[in-house]
C-alpha cells in the first residue's frame, strides 16, 4: 500500500489538488527587503490595488514538480533525489525590470506583477540540470521557463519599466511544499551551490 504524507487536515475551500511541490530560489533577507521596498514604491506611485506576497514567500520558481490531492512520500523522495543530484557553483542573479504578466483567463483581476530575472548561462544551466535530474527519477520537468519574482496580484496592468537593479548571489535552491489556498510554504529541503 502506497503511503501519503498527510500533513494537513484543514481542507476548507482549498483546491481539489491543494498540495504543490516545486523547486525555487529564495533570496536572502537583504534582497527581500529591497524587493519589498520596490513593491511599496510601485504601489504608492501607481496607486495599485491587489494582494501583495509576504516577504517570506518571495521566490523565483525553477521547476514545478506537481499539484496533488495528497503529497505522496514517493514523489517527495524522488524530488529530493533530483535536488541532491544537482551540483554547480554559486552565481549572480539580477532584476532590472518590472511588469505585469497576463492573468489566467478566469482570473482577470489577478494580474501578476513581477520582477524579471536575469541569471545568464548559470541560471539556465541550473534549470536545465535540475530538469534532467527530475526526468531521471521519473518526474516531469518543464522544457523552458521565464525567470521572475512575483510581487503581487491585482487588477491593474503595469507596463514593463526599468527599476534600480537588484542583485543577489544564488547560493542554494530549495524544494517547497505549498499549501494552496492557505498561502503557506514549508521548505522541505535545501541544497547549497558550492565553489
Amino acid at each position: 500500500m502506497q503511503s501519503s504524507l498527510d500533513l494537513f487536515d484543514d481542507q476548507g475551500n482549498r483546491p481539489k489538488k491543494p498540495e504543490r511541490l516545486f523547486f525555487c530560489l529564495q533570496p536572502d533577507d537583504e534582497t527581500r527587503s529591497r524587493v519589498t521596498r520596490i513593491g511599496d514604491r510601485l504601489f504608492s506611485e501607481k496607486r495599485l490595488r491587489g494582494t501583495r506576497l509576504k516577504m517570506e514567500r518571495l521566490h523565483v520558481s525553477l521547476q514545478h514538480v506537481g499539484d496533488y490531492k495528497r503529497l505522496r512520500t514517493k514523489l517527495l523522495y524522488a524530488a529530493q533525489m533530483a535536488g541532491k543530484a544537482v551540483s554547480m557553483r554559486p552565481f549572480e542573479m539580477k532584476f532590472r525590470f518590472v511588469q505585469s504578466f497576463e492573468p489566467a483567463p478566469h482570473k482577470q483581476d489577478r494580474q501578476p506583477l513581477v520582477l524579471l530575472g536575469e541569471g545568464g548561462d548559470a541560471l539556465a544551466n541550473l534549470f536545465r540540470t535540475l530538469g534532467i535530474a527530475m526526468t531521471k527519477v521519473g518526474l516531469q520537468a518543464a522544457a523552458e521557463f521565464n525567470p521572475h519574482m512575483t510581487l503581487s496580484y491585482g487588477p491593474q496592468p503595469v507596463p514593463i519599466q526599468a527599476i534600480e537593479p537588484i542583485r543577489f548571489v544564488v547560493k542554494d535552491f530549495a524544494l517547497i511544499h505549498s499549501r494552496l489556498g492557505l498561502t503557506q510554504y514549508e521548505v522541505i529541503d535545501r541544497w547549497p551551490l558550492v565553489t
Side-chain angles (χ1 to χ4, degrees):
M1 183 166 139
Q2 186 176 14
S3 64
S4 66
L5 200 61
D6 190 9
L7 299 174
F8 313 107
D9 58 6
D10 50 348
Q11 294 300 311
N13 293 323
R14 295 178 69 200
K16 289 182 181 179
K17 293 185 174 181
E19 312 302 339
R20 174 169 290 170
L21 202 58
F22 66 96
F23 290 99
C24 72
L25 305 176
Q26 294 182 303
D28 56 53
D29 290 341
E30 180 183 336
T31 304
R32 286 179 179 172
S33 293
R34 291 187 66 199
V35 168
T36 299
R37 286 194 298 273
I38 283 179
D40 291 343
R41 191 192 53 156
L42 285 166
F43 262 65
S44 175
E45 288 176 2
K46 301 193 175 301
R47 300 181 184 202
L48 299 177
R49 299 182 318 276
T51 304
R52 302 265 308 268
L53 265 68
K54 293 179 182 177
M55 191 165 30
E56 62 270 14
R57 290 185 62 224
L58 294 172
H59 69 276
V60 177
S61 294
L62 285 171
Q63 286 280 2
H64 180 251
V65 178
D67 293 347
Y68 309 99
K69 187 170 184 178
R70 293 208 184 277
L71 187 55
R72 305 231 175 251
T73 53
K74 76 172 193 174
L75 293 167
L76 186 59
Y77 179 75
Q80 288 177 300
M81 289 299 96
K84 188 177 178 180
V86 174
S87 176
M88 63 181 292
R89 294 179 172 174
F91 60 91
E92 184 181 82
M93 184 165 186
K94 60 188 169 187
F95 303 99
R96 296 185 303 134
F97 297 95
V98 64
Q99 78 172 92
S100 292
F101 280 172
E102 285 294 319
H106 58 288
K107 295 184 178 182
Q108 291 299 315
D109 62 337
R110 287 185 48 83
Q111 294 191 55
L113 178 63
V114 306
L115 297 179
L116 301 178
E118 302 169 19
D121 291 341
L123 179 58
N125 188 39
L126 175 57
F127 169 77
R128 191 171 39 255
T129 302
L130 181 56
I132 291 167
M134 289 171 66
T135 302
K136 285 182 178 177
V137 296
L139 299 173
Q140 291 187 345
E144 56 186 52
F145 83 131
N146 183 1
H148 64 277
M149 182 181 291
T150 303
L151 302 177
S152 65
Y153 295 92
Q156 300 138 289
V158 175
I160 190 167
Q161 58 193 271
I163 60 167
E164 179 183 334
I166 297 175
R167 292 177 167 81
F168 77 101
V169 176
V170 176
K171 297 178 181 176
D172 60 20
F173 67 100
L175 177 63
I176 302 290
H177 173 227
S178 173
R179 302 173 66 185
L180 297 180
L182 300 178
T183 64
Q184 296 174 3
Y185 286 174
E186 175 190 4
V187 177
I188 298 292
D189 215 333
R190 187 180 300 278
W191 296 272
L193 304 181
V194 295
T195 54

